[in-house]
Amino acid sequence: MIAPLLVAPLVPLLVPFAVPPLARRAVARLTPAAALWCLTATTVVLAVCSLAALGTLTLYGLLALPPFASFGELIHPLGAAPGLFPLAAAATGALAVCAWALPRSALRQLGEYHEAKEAADAQPTAGDLCVIDSPDPDAYALPGSPGRIVVTTSMLRSLSPAEREALFAHERAHLSARHHYHLAAVGLAAHCHPGLRPAGAAVRLAAERAADEAAAAATGDRQLTARAIGRAALATRSAQRRPTVAPAATSGPVPQRVAALLRPPLPGVRGRYPAAVAAGVLLALSACLSLAGAGAGALTLHQNVEIAQGERPGG
């Protein structure tokens, strides 16, 4: 049996497991740009709340031990609630894994970015276009100041002039909307809770769909954009080495994206009410529930520490 005071910190650790079906619904029902922002914000909030909950459970366990209680200037240790020490031990282990995985992932992403940037800097550029002589077809948006569209000569030969312009419009949409920030944030959040890992694929799909729609609007031809995306994906024979945070037109479920481009664009939220609103509201409620659980857990811990220090809450 778990003590009632430990229930609140458990809420942020359980809510993320509900994200995958909600994320798929959001991508299907919301406009791509709205889905991208909604999913990114929700994922980051849930990741922060899960870390806060793990920290709360860890402190509960530590302050229930006399050595740590005296170090925290507690007159007496916190009461050892039923189920406390197994939960605290599991939370401590999970925090240790996060502390190891998060900086490692951040450093890896930075390393990949700087490696790609150095390679692009060594190539001649034409405006925002950087062409690399390579037999492997590839194209992606490389963020930076300025951002660049990196494309190989083999990819250029695989597309017609009109298809190239559609591909470039897609990658320019990634750069102008700064989609790399969304990919980086969700990539790091996935290391905070296993339930958030599927959100990364949903966010990448939403980013690609948003760029698809922007490219279709820029070219004025949805079929041309769909054909360019499809041919570019078919030309890319294998996974290419590119930065994790660099969006690419050939990533994600391309058949699903092409099918969406061959349909009329999604209407706004009003046009899809209540399905679109329901998807966003469910994600927002998940974030609010997680925030409430993390806040209640931290507040309860604070009150118990004050009592253990010989003070009354609010005194």
Side-chain angles (χ1 to χ4, degrees), residues 89-300:
T92 303
L95 272 181
V97 171
C98 292
W100 173 78
L102 280 173
R104 185 170 178 267
S105 177
L107 290 174
R108 177 178 56 81
Q109 290 185 17
L110 284 174
E112 292 173 348
Y113 169 74
H114 287 300
E115 182 180 350
K117 188 173 185 302
E118 289 176 1
D121 289 341
Q123 303 296 324
T125 59
D128 61 354
L129 195 63
C130 174
V131 180
I132 297 178
D133 187 12
S134 172
D136 297 321
D138 195 20
Y140 59 89
L142 183 65
S145 299
R148 294 175 183 171
I149 301 170
V150 178
V151 62
T152 64
T153 52
S154 181
M155 178 63 83
L156 293 177
R157 289 193 293 267
S158 301
L159 304 177
S160 68
E163 291 168 345
R164 292 176 202 161
E165 290 305 316
L167 181 69
F168 297 158
H170 175 101
E171 304 300 355
R172 287 191 182 101
H174 280 313
L175 293 174
S176 62
R178 302 181 183 274
H179 288 162
H180 55 281
Y181 286 127
H182 296 269
L183 299 181
V186 175
L188 293 176
H191 292 288
C192 300
H193 194 289
L196 297 177
R197 289 171 188 167
V203 167
R204 186 170 288 274
L205 173 58
E208 294 304 327
R209 284 284 298 114
D212 290 343
E213 293 296 333
T219 60
D221 192 334
R222 297 181 67 82
Q223 290 190 348
L224 169 65
T225 305
R227 188 167 64 249
I229 299 300
R231 292 190 63 181
L234 289 174
T236 307
R237 294 182 291 271
S238 59
Q240 302 295 319
R241 286 196 61 186
R242 63 173 76 101
T244 305
V245 298
T250 56
S251 63
V254 174
Q256 180 179 345
R257 293 167 48 205
V258 169
L261 281 169
L262 295 178
R263 297 192 298 266
L266 288 174
V269 171
R270 291 184 181 178
R272 294 182 66 81
Y273 184 87
V277 174
V281 167
L282 285 174
L283 284 170
L285 286 176
S286 299
C288 291
L289 183 61
S290 192
L291 277 170
L299 181 60
T300 302

